[in-house]
Amino acid sequence: MGIGDTSAYLDINLMEGTKPLSKTVKTPHIEKFAKEGMIFTDAHAPASMCSSTRYSLLTGRLAHRSYLKKQGWLPHGPNRPMIQRALTTLPEMLQSNDYFTGAVGKYHVGMDFDDGQGMPADEFDYKDVDFTKNILDGPTHHGFNEFFGVPGNTEDSLDTEPRIFIRNDRWTFTDRLKMKWTGMKYRAGQILSGPDWDLSQIGPNFLREGMQFIENASKKQKPFFLYYVPAANHYQRNTSGDYAVPESIDNQPVKGASRYTDGSKGGEREDMIIENDLAFGALLRKIRETDDPRDPGKKLIDNTLIIFTSDNGPNVGDNEGVNPESGGLRGKKAKLWEGGHRVPFILFWKNHIRASSINRNLFSLTDLYATLAEILNHSLKPSEAQDSLNSYDHWRNPKKIDERARYFFCHLGPPYENDAIAIRQVGKKVITKGGLAQPWTKDGSQGSALASVFYDLNVDPYEKEDFSKKDLGSTKIVDQLIQIHNQGYSRQLKI
């Protein structure tokens, strides 16, 4: 989802020199939420694609440090866990601070399924999975008390993960004799599905489970963390089209309901944005209406920090040009220009974060781990969140400029190698030549870090001009990347 996909950013300019957004998809619930909270104009997914971003958010490590080097999403077929058991995750840190944790939606950082012999299943179409056995490695092994969702994407022309929901560490349907083989095009007859699988009902199912989690968690005498990750905006290519649009969600119409802020009608993709907006609104309503048992007389909304964001830029648009879905920025999903990884980020925390405000500081979702740790007075160990930068001071005081560099991974297609890395430091930006994350890349830098292009966003927000010859400090920025890459951390470790 891009910045231009929500009316929360309507009439806001993302950088000096850019025009305010004049047209977006109309998202009433996200828009109202933004007016009560803080809007970030320079927040970023750690990668331009989903799996690598989720890895960074959950571990506080740079996206290119996982085993994914050639691309930013898990390839089709069985995928081993990206998160090693030795890594402490954000939900594990929260558990250590007495939080009850849950995840609902698309996990997509790899799972191990039992092949019936206690070993990870490895056949491309999952024929060797024993659905009666517990998941060997999944969300509940990495800090979530509860999980309901799917292991990865659900495009019927690409993704072969079984179309069966997982609850905690168990499949919700286990009778292989009653499963059916589905799929289309390259995957025709290769996808195992439960007999009642309905792609259009993923969102409504996720919302039901999210509402139930809040209900159950609110009855416990402890704080809770809900990681709600719907799949609505992702392509859901199936025999009926690119998206599987439900008729309704939360008793509100979805199919055909989307509108732009100028009154024009949206298409199926925009309808799925509306599904997200309605689901988010329902979750907010639940939080507003539910009593907080730890604070008599108060509702959960009075004591809950809430974040709305995205894991990459929009999945549609011009690969190399500017796109309205990206908020008028250059690029889209899977690109290292700003439109590929600059995302909506809206923050609410009553009496702690200034309402109806704008924060223009550079921020990455990788920084959530260290920032939440600071809020909890949790002292990070050297083994935790090695690349997560505590940004709480910049949340509380948006005028305090954050001059620390951030790093973003993955660019599919020309003009860069797939494993290219972008570096941002205030308004300066360098995209490196491929070959650092993946030294064996053809035509890469063989483990070194070399600048391919240098942008000055303060002068050129649409990334049209290469400022390399003007020597605005690109060498120093790239040298910093090679240092943090080699040493294995980018924050100051207490060692």
Side-chain angles (χ1 to χ4, degrees):
M1 181 174 179
I3 288 175
D5 287 327
T6 169
S7 52
Y9 283 81
L10 187 68
D11 296 327
I12 294 176
N13 65 311
L14 301 182
M15 288 181 281
E16 190 174 328
T18 63
K19 297 178 181 179
L21 274 67
S22 60
K23 178 183 175 180
T24 68
V25 179
K26 190 168 182 58
T27 54
H29 297 287
I30 303 171
E31 183 179 343
K32 180 182 178 183
F33 174 71
K35 291 176 180 176
E36 298 171 345
M38 177 178 285
I39 295 174
F40 286 66
T41 61
D42 204 0
H44 295 255
S48 64
M49 303 195 77
C50 46
S51 298
S52 292
T53 284
R54 292 159 195 250
Y55 169 85
S56 289
L57 187 155
L58 292 171
T59 65
R61 289 166 55 84
L62 295 181
H64 76 277
R65 296 203 196 276
S66 80
Y67 69 67
L68 276 184
K69 305 295 185 187
K70 188 177 180 180
Q71 58 197 34
W73 92 101
L74 286 172
H76 316 298
N79 295 287
R80 301 299 305 278
M82 294 172 65
I83 302 175
Q84 300 159 319
R85 291 287 186 96
L87 291 176
T88 303
T89 65
L90 170 61
E92 285 176 324
M93 181 273 286
L94 294 172
Q95 281 183 332
S96 73
N97 287 275
D98 203 34
Y99 272 70
F100 181 68
T101 61
V104 174
K106 185 180 81 167
Y107 187 55
H108 214 199
V109 286
M111 294 188 187
D112 274 342
F113 307 129
D114 198 313
D115 67 353
Q117 305 298 318
M119 297 297 291
D122 60 5
E123 292 191 22
F124 182 78
D125 50 10
Y126 296 87
K127 287 181 179 178
D128 59 339
V129 173
D130 187 337
F131 290 93
T132 67
K133 302 291 186 181
N134 288 15
I135 307 297
L136 297 177
D137 192 305
T140 59
H141 300 89
H142 296 280
F144 289 107
N145 294 108
E146 294 183 357
F147 171 75
F148 179 87
V150 292
N153 290 332
T154 53
E155 268 190 83
D156 286 349
S157 58
L158 292 174
D159 307 294
T160 60
E161 285 89 348
R163 303 305 197 253
I164 300 169
F165 289 116
I166 295 171
R167 184 180 297 282
N168 300 331
D169 62 349
R170 302 283 298 184
W171 297 97
T172 58
F173 188 82
T174 61
D175 189 347
R176 183 181 280 271
L177 293 176
K178 294 182 180 179
M179 294 178 189
K180 54 187 178 181
W181 288 100
T182 60
M184 57 181 281
K185 293 185 177 180
Y186 305 110
R187 303 291 182 257
Q190 290 186 307
I191 301 173
L192 272 172
S193 298
D196 58 351
W197 176 259
D198 183 346
L199 190 56
S200 71
Q201 292 304 299
I202 289 183
N205 275 299
F206 288 165
L207 177 58
R208 182 196 68 238
E209 294 292 328
M211 300 282 272
Q212 190 61 54
F213 176 85
I214 294 172
E215 177 70 22
N216 295 341
S218 69
K219 297 176 181 177
K220 301 178 183 291
Q221 290 295 325
K222 58 170 57 181
F224 68 85
F225 170 65
L226 173 59
Y227 176 60
Y228 189 81
V229 279
N233 292 103
H234 198 284
Y235 274 127
Q236 297 173 312
R237 293 186 177 98
N238 61 90
T239 54
S240 299
D242 285 344
Y243 300 93
V245 184
E247 292 292 334
S248 64
I249 190 170
D250 192 39
N251 296 315
Q252 299 293 316
V254 174
K255 197 166 189 176
S258 60
R259 297 291 184 274
Y260 286 96
T261 50
D262 65 356
S264 58
K265 192 175 185 301
E268 287 194 338
R269 177 179 179 273
E270 291 70 39
D271 287 349
M272 299 308 289
I273 293 172
I274 293 305
E275 179 190 292
N276 266 347
D277 183 67
L278 291 169
F280 185 57
L283 294 169
L284 288 174
R285 183 182 70 242
K286 184 69 173 178
I287 292 171
R288 289 190 179 103
E289 294 176 351
T290 303
D291 293 332
D292 188 340
R294 298 175 302 123
D295 195 353
K298 297 292 183 67
K299 301 293 185 180
L300 289 178
I301 193 72
D302 296 314
N303 298 300
T304 302
L305 188 159
I306 305 169
I307 294 169
F308 178 89
T309 190
S310 176
D311 59 355
N312 48 241
N315 60 342
V316 297
D318 186 334
N319 278 323
E320 299 191 20
V322 297
N323 296 296
E325 297 87 355
S326 302
L329 301 176
R330 184 180 182 184
K332 49 174 277 194
K333 177 179 178 177
K335 306 300 177 184
L336 281 177
W337 296 298
E338 292 293 289
H341 48 85
R342 192 185 292 215
V343 294
F345 187 92
I346 306 168
L347 173 69
F348 170 89
W349 193 14
K350 189 175 181 179
N351 299 326
H352 293 273
I353 297 299
R354 192 178 308 160
S356 300
S357 61
I358 294 178
N359 192 319
R360 297 192 178 278
N361 268 305
L362 181 62
F363 178 77
S364 169
L365 301 187
T366 313
D367 303 329
L368 283 173
Y369 194 134
T371 305
L372 296 179
E374 171 68 18
I375 290 172
L376 294 174
N377 199 28
H378 173 92
S379 181
L380 292 175
K381 301 174 184 176
S383 59
E384 285 183 273
Q386 293 95 337
D387 299 303
S388 186
L389 304 180
N390 174 14
S391 301
Y392 189 43
D393 282 349
H394 303 283
W395 285 9
R396 292 185 297 179
N397 181 12
K399 293 183 179 180
K400 183 178 180 180
I401 304 301
D402 191 340
E403 297 183 348
R404 297 170 296 180
R406 303 305 201 279
Y407 306 90
F408 312 109
F409 176 60
C410 184
H411 187 103
L412 299 190
Y416 310 115
E417 296 289 322
N418 283 16
D419 71 325
I421 296 171
I423 313 162
R424 274 283 312 277
Q425 190 163 16
V426 193
K428 298 177 180 179
K429 179 174 181 178
V430 178
I431 297 179
T432 65
K433 187 176 182 179
L436 177 63
Q438 188 174 242
W440 55 91
T441 297
K442 183 181 179 182
D443 300 324
S445 60
Q446 298 182 335
S448 183
L450 303 173
S452 288
V453 63
F454 183 94
Y455 296 115
D456 185 350
L457 298 180
N458 293 322
V459 177
D460 178 32
Y462 300 111
E463 300 174 279
K464 297 179 180 179
E465 184 179 350
D466 185 355
F467 287 79
S468 298
K469 294 181 180 179
K470 298 184 180 181
D471 190 21
L472 299 178
S474 61
T475 301
K476 183 178 179 180
I477 292 174
V478 172
D479 287 346
Q480 187 176 354
L481 169 62
I482 194 74
Q483 178 182 343
I484 66 103
H485 171 80
N486 290 339
Q487 71 188 14
Y489 59 89
S490 53
R491 71 172 177 86
Q492 292 184 345
L493 303 184
K494 297 178 181 179
I495 52 177

